[in-house]
Amino acid sequence: MGRGDLTNAEWDRLESFLPRGGARGGRWSDHRRVINGVLYRVRTGVQWRDLPERFGPWETVYKRHRRWSADGTWKMLLSRVQAAEDDAGQIDWDVSVDSTVVRAHQHAAGARKTSPATVAQKGAGPRDEPGRSHPAEVGHPIGGGGQLGECLGRSRGGFTTKVHLVADGRCRPLAFVLTPGHYGDGPQFERVLEQIAVPRSGVGRPRKRPDHVLADKAYTSRSNRRYLRRRGIQHTIPERMDQQRHRHNRGSRGGRPIGFDSERYKKRNTVERAINRLKGFRSVATRYEKRAYIYLGTVTLAALLIWLRT
């Protein structure tokens, strides 16, 4: 076992959830070896062609990562691990929201302006299992195309992508979304919280509502506070100085001051620490992928490893 590879305990937690090979298209290459190859690339940021030979053909490793990013296999594995942690009472539902800007490498440019539509492959049938690809090219998720469609934008940091995420109280990413780098944080607040969906181990809907939300001044808009009140979620978000002056100038019409617990707000550093953990993976800290869905799969796999090892 090489440095950074899945341990036996980690592999035991994932093995039962992985897709099994069917009659069509032959058998999968060894899942554990290929996943370790993807992890090696995510951790080190090397080009796919430079993967060590012990992981097998680099094309196999790359195509597996691309296909499982497209069909949601990485996301499914992350959800299963989160469900097990929630069932054991190991998730702190005092969550924090923030974003981080990721510099895009020059190789991330050049994707097609219109992405191919997702179509059923020739010969595909109802007997095919989820996650099992076909000999033909796997279809891309609907959407994308162009810089904005692939979550690439120009900001003060240059050619960038922004990762918006929500982390639990133990510095582990619960959910995340991608936007171009010049997009603001506040408008993505509802979107990233709506991505929280931790399945129940038994009967019941996935848990989507945290106990408490902490965020900085970038998320202090009225619409975000109304959204939290509508869902019955307690929150600790500081008020900007211009909002305070505006409320004071309006007098009695300005409404009551917003409650703010400065001691509880200190816990917001958990999301900053979660970002630091994610950016410890070089393929997350710098985006090399042209397609947004493949980069999202890279971020998801890094988050999965954080959950397995925390």
Side-chain angles (χ1 to χ4, degrees), residues 190-203:
E190 294 185 27
R191 184 183 172 197
V192 69
L193 286 180
E194 290 293 335
Q195 295 297 315
I196 299 176
V198 178
R200 308 283 186 177
S201 59
V203 179

Side-chain angles (χ1 to χ4, degrees), residues 253-269:
R253 295 178 300 170
R256 293 177 297 178
I258 294 173
F260 178 71
D261 187 345
S262 58
E263 285 299 317
R264 192 162 197 170
Y265 184 71
K266 293 178 181 179
K267 194 177 179 181
R268 197 194 67 84
N269 70 83

Side-chain angles (χ1 to χ4, degrees), residues 1-7 10 13 36 39 43 81 85 170 172 277 281 303-310:
M1 185 178 70
R3 176 173 176 264
D5 289 355
L6 292 174
T7 63
E10 294 165 356
R13 297 183 66 180
N36 284 334
L39 288 177
R43 180 172 58 85
V81 173
E85 290 291 301
R170 298 183 64 188
R172 299 174 296 186
R277 287 182 176 180
F281 298 87
L304 173 62
L305 204 61
I306 290 173
W307 277 87
L308 288 173
R309 297 178 176 178
T310 302

Side-chain angles (χ1 to χ4, degrees), residues 234-252:
Q234 298 181 359
H235 56 277
T236 301
I237 304 176
E239 191 178 26
R240 295 198 308 265
M241 293 298 296
D242 61 323
Q243 292 177 326
Q244 294 179 10
R245 289 194 300 267
H246 180 66
R247 178 166 46 80
H248 285 308
N249 292 338
R250 297 190 64 187
S252 60

Side-chain angles (χ1 to χ4, degrees), residues 33-291:
R33 183 183 67 177
V34 174
I35 292 175
N36 284 334
V38 180
L39 288 177
Y40 181 90
R41 191 265 175 180
V42 171
R43 180 172 58 85
T44 63
V46 300
Q47 294 187 13
W48 290 104
R49 294 175 181 269
D50 295 333
L51 284 176
E53 293 182 359
R54 65 186 178 93
F55 300 120
W58 71 267
E59 297 94 335
T60 301
V61 181
Y62 166 69
K63 289 179 180 178
R64 190 79 54 88
H65 176 54
R66 183 188 62 190
R67 288 163 179 166
W68 284 4
S69 298
D71 64 19
T73 300
W74 295 132
K75 184 177 180 181
M76 177 272 294
L77 292 175
L78 178 60
S79 297
R80 296 296 180 89
V81 173
Q82 289 176 344
E85 290 291 301
D86 189 41
D87 186 51
Q90 297 299 315
I91 295 183
D92 184 349
W93 285 96
D94 281 4
V95 305
S96 303
V97 180
D98 206 350
S99 70
T100 182
V101 174
V102 176
R103 187 68 180 266
H105 193 269
Q106 60 184 1
H107 293 166
R112 296 178 182 176
K113 294 184 179 179
T114 56
S115 62
T118 303
V119 294
Q121 300 297 332
K122 183 178 180 181
R127 294 186 301 170
D128 296 316
E129 298 184 12
R132 181 56 173 161
S133 60
H134 306 283
E137 176 72 13
V138 67
H140 294 176
I142 297 175
Q147 285 192 9
L148 295 182
E150 299 298 344
C151 297
L152 292 167
R154 297 285 180 180
S155 64
R156 185 174 298 178
F159 198 41
T160 53
T161 293
K162 184 173 285 189
V163 182
H164 305 262
L165 73 155
V166 52
D168 78 333
R170 298 183 64 188
C171 310
R172 299 174 296 186
L174 273 172
F176 30 79
V177 295
L178 303 182
T179 64
H182 61 279
Y183 278 29
D185 292 350
Q188 308 303 321
F189 183 73
E190 294 185 27
R191 184 183 172 197
V192 69
L193 286 180
E194 290 293 335
Q195 295 297 315
I196 299 176
V198 178
R200 308 283 186 177
S201 59
V203 179
R205 299 178 179 177
R207 176 164 182 175
K208 297 184 176 181
R209 189 173 66 177
D211 294 332
H212 199 96
V213 172
L214 300 99
D216 60 20
K217 294 180 180 180
Y219 301 92
T220 187
S221 67
R222 291 183 178 180
S223 61
N224 288 340
R225 294 183 187 275
R226 282 197 299 266
Y227 167 77
L228 293 171
R229 286 194 297 267
R230 185 171 66 250
R231 295 190 59 190
I233 301 174
Q234 298 181 359
H235 56 277
T236 301
I237 304 176
E239 191 178 26
R240 295 198 308 265
M241 293 298 296
D242 61 323
Q243 292 177 326
Q244 294 179 10
R245 289 194 300 267
H246 180 66
R247 178 166 46 80
H248 285 308
N249 292 338
R250 297 190 64 187
S252 60
R253 295 178 300 170
R256 293 177 297 178
I258 294 173
F260 178 71
D261 187 345
S262 58
E263 285 299 317
R264 192 162 197 170
Y265 184 71
K266 293 178 181 179
K267 194 177 179 181
R268 197 194 67 84
N269 70 83
T270 55
V271 68
E272 305 287 354
R273 290 152 64 190
I275 291 173
N276 287 339
R277 287 182 176 180
L278 279 176
K279 287 196 167 182
F281 298 87
R282 291 179 177 268
S283 291
V284 175
T286 302
R287 174 177 170 176
Y288 299 97
E289 292 83 358
K290 289 180 170 59
R291 294 295 182 187

Side-chain angles (χ1 to χ4, degrees), residues 3-19:
R3 176 173 176 264
D5 289 355
L6 292 174
T7 63
N8 292 333
E10 294 165 356
W11 172 247
D12 290 340
R13 297 183 66 180
L14 299 180
E15 184 178 12
S16 61
F17 304 131
L18 295 173

